[in-house]
């Protein structure tokens, strides 16, 4: 919700995270927090399968290029993220559309009805079910590049611990830091994706059209 509102001038904007939670609960009920949950659930299994399968394949291919392991992991992560993005983007379009709907949960269309409406109105292309693909490519590509590159490099540097509990904490800590850094770096792509896929400020006018132009607009207007 924070990503699709247009700064302080948005009349339906939220003042803080707490205000966002209160407003959604009061206007849309408890189920309002779960709008758009079905598309990510549907996408989760193929997304994970594509992500890790392609990462291993890209890593094998890069093995022939004699690259340093750290660079190879990062490039393989980038490739897996870009491939993953192509799979998940249609689900993201439906999810963001459902989440932008501020009616009560019971009043909004189902995921399948919403997807059918998007296809009927704008087709399967870059104005329809694949809207915002470039931003999604950036979001997943950057995240996986940083995540896999950082995780495997640091994991190989820090010594393995014989104590299983400490070894678990070592891997958990590296994964936590990797995910945090990757999220911080890729969030501008995520905001751009949500603006492009979400409702435009003026109906009938497309303000947020391309990934980098959207980033520039958000930076210029909102900092």
């Amino acid at each position: 919700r924070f990503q699709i509102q247009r700064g302080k001038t948005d009349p339906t904007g939220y003042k803080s995270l707490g205000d966002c939670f209160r407003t959604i609960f009061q206007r849309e009920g408890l189920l309002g927090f779960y709008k758009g949950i079905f598309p990510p659930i549907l996408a989760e299994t193929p997304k994970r399968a594509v992500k890790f399968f392609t990462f291993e394949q890209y890593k094998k291919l890069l093995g022939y290029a004699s690259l340093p392991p750290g660079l190879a992991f990062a490039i393989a992560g980038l490739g897996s993220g870009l491939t993953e993005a192509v799979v998940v983007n249609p689900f993201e379009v439906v999810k963001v559309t459902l989440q932008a709907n501020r009616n009560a949960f019971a009043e909004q269309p189902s995921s399948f009805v919403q997807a059918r409406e998007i296809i009927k109105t704008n087709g399967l292309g870059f104005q329809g079910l694949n809207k915002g693909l470039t931003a999604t490519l950036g979001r997943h590509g950057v995240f996986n590049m940083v995540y896999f590159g950082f995780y495997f490099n640091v994991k190989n540097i820090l010594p393995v611990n014989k104590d299983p509990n400490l070894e678990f904490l070592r891997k958990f800590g590296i994964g936590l830091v990797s995910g945090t850094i990757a999220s911080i770096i890729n969030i501008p792509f995520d905001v751009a994706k949500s603006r492009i896929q979400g409702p435009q400020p003026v109906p009938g006018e497309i303000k947020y059209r391309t990934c980098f132009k959207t980033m520039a607009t958000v930076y210029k207007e909102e900092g």
Side-chain angles (χ1 to χ4, degrees):
R1 293 291 178 91
F2 276 108
Q3 290 180 345
I4 59 176
Q5 67 185 35
R6 278 80 60 186
K8 297 179 180 178
T9 59
D10 190 340
T12 58
Y14 304 106
K15 299 175 183 177
S16 65
L17 183 61
D19 178 60
C20 180
F21 273 95
R22 282 193 301 272
T23 303
I24 291 174
F25 182 74
Q26 290 169 359
R27 295 180 180 175
E28 304 168 37
L30 183 62
L31 292 177
F33 296 111
Y34 295 93
K35 284 181 175 178
I37 188 64
F38 196 52
I41 289 175
L42 286 177
E44 193 61 27
T45 299
K47 181 181 85 169
R48 297 293 176 187
V50 167
K51 177 177 183 171
F52 289 103
F53 174 76
T54 56
F55 174 73
E56 292 298 328
Q57 299 309 308
Y58 289 132
K59 193 170 64 171
K60 288 179 182 177
L61 288 173
L62 290 167
Y64 297 107
S66 300
L67 294 173
L71 181 60
F73 285 133
I75 296 176
L78 174 63
S80 69
L82 295 176
T83 309
E84 176 189 30
V86 175
V87 175
V88 303
N89 193 68
F91 297 94
E92 286 290 319
V93 172
V94 177
K95 183 195 77 171
V96 172
T97 305
L98 291 171
Q99 290 178 340
N101 186 329
R102 302 197 181 193
N103 294 327
F105 185 88
E107 297 173 2
Q108 75 168 16
S110 69
S111 298
F112 292 108
V113 170
Q114 186 67 69
R116 194 162 58 240
E117 181 62 28
I118 292 171
I119 295 171
K120 180 180 177 182
T121 305
N122 295 307
L124 297 169
F126 296 131
Q127 295 302 319
L129 209 58
N130 273 290
K131 183 164 57 174
L133 178 60
T134 303
T136 306
L137 288 168
R139 183 181 78 157
H140 288 267
V142 169
F143 181 91
N144 286 326
M145 178 179 68
V146 175
Y147 181 85
F148 283 116
F150 184 91
Y151 180 84
F152 283 104
N153 276 288
V154 174
K155 188 168 77 72
N156 291 333
I157 293 172
L158 296 179
V160 175
N161 204 299
K162 294 181 179 180
D163 186 322
N165 293 324
L166 293 177
E167 176 61 13
F168 167 78
L169 290 175
R170 181 184 78 97
K171 290 182 178 178
F172 179 81
I174 297 171
L176 182 66
V177 174
S178 301
T180 301
I181 294 173
S183 295
I184 292 171
I185 294 175
N186 91 322
I187 194 68
F189 291 96
D190 201 20
V191 172
K193 181 193 76 69
S194 296
R195 293 293 179 94
I196 294 168
Q197 294 177 346
Q200 299 291 320
V202 179
E205 295 182 15
I206 301 178
K207 179 178 181 179
Y208 304 112
R209 189 179 296 273
T210 63
C211 177
F212 292 104
K213 187 176 179 180
T214 297
M215 286 185 184
T217 300
V218 172
Y219 175 75
K220 180 180 178 181
E221 295 181 355
E222 302 168 39

